[in-house]
């Protein structure tokens, strides 16, 4: 019985880990699509930071780090719906966390 519980816990952990990674990929794609739909094709999504329970909820707050030429920005985005399981996902920009400007003599 104990072996079964441990195996079940390991299996559940692997499934949740896969869902967590795939959630990040799906959220990144949804954000890229929204940026491209608004004509911001040169903006590059560098990273996403979301909570541990984001893949199992219908609403999540995501910190998105984007880059446009020499400017880095971190945005707060609220995701309504589930990027993996929902057909309709709504993204709302909550605010700007940080803005970093790099000025250099690039060559």
């Amino acid at each position: 019985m104990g072996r079964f519980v441990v195996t079940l816990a390991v299996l559940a952990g692997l499934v949740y880990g896969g869902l967590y990674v795939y959630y990040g990929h799906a959220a990144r794609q949804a954000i890229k699509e929204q940026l491209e739909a608004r004509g911001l094709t040169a903006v590059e999504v560098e990273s996403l930071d979301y909570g541990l329970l984001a893949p199992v909820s219908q609403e999540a707050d995501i910190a998105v780090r984007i880059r446009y030429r020499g400017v880095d920005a971190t945005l707060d985005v609220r995701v309504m719906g589930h990027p993996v399981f929902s057909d309709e996902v709504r993204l709302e920009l909550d605010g700007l966390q940080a803005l970093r400007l790099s000025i250099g003599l690039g060559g």
Side-chain angles (χ1 to χ4, degrees):
M1 180 69 176
R3 184 182 232 182
F4 175 73
V5 171
V6 170
T7 303
L8 189 61
V10 168
L11 185 60
L14 288 173
V15 169
Y16 188 76
L19 179 63
Y20 187 82
V21 170
Y22 189 70
Y23 179 88
H25 175 72
R28 179 185 299 260
Q29 290 302 110
I31 291 168
K32 282 183 181 180
E33 288 173 7
Q34 289 294 322
L35 290 172
E36 289 175 3
R38 287 165 176 73
L40 300 171
T41 56
V43 176
E44 180 182 334
V45 177
E46 290 204 342
S47 66
L48 301 175
D49 184 29
Y50 48 93
L52 189 61
L53 296 177
V56 293
S57 66
Q58 288 293 319
E59 294 183 12
D61 292 324
I62 298 177
V64 181
R65 190 167 148 226
I66 60 172
R67 175 181 272 284
Y68 176 72
R69 296 187 183 175
V71 178
D72 287 333
T74 304
L75 307 172
D76 287 330
V77 175
R78 177 175 288 279
V79 178
M80 306 293 213
H82 200 283
V84 178
F85 301 119
S86 296
D87 290 336
E88 187 174 321
V89 175
R90 191 173 81 208
L91 302 173
E92 296 177 353
L93 179 63
D94 280 348
L96 179 66
Q97 282 185 7
L99 181 66
R100 291 170 295 285
L101 177 62
S102 300
I103 300 174
L105 301 172

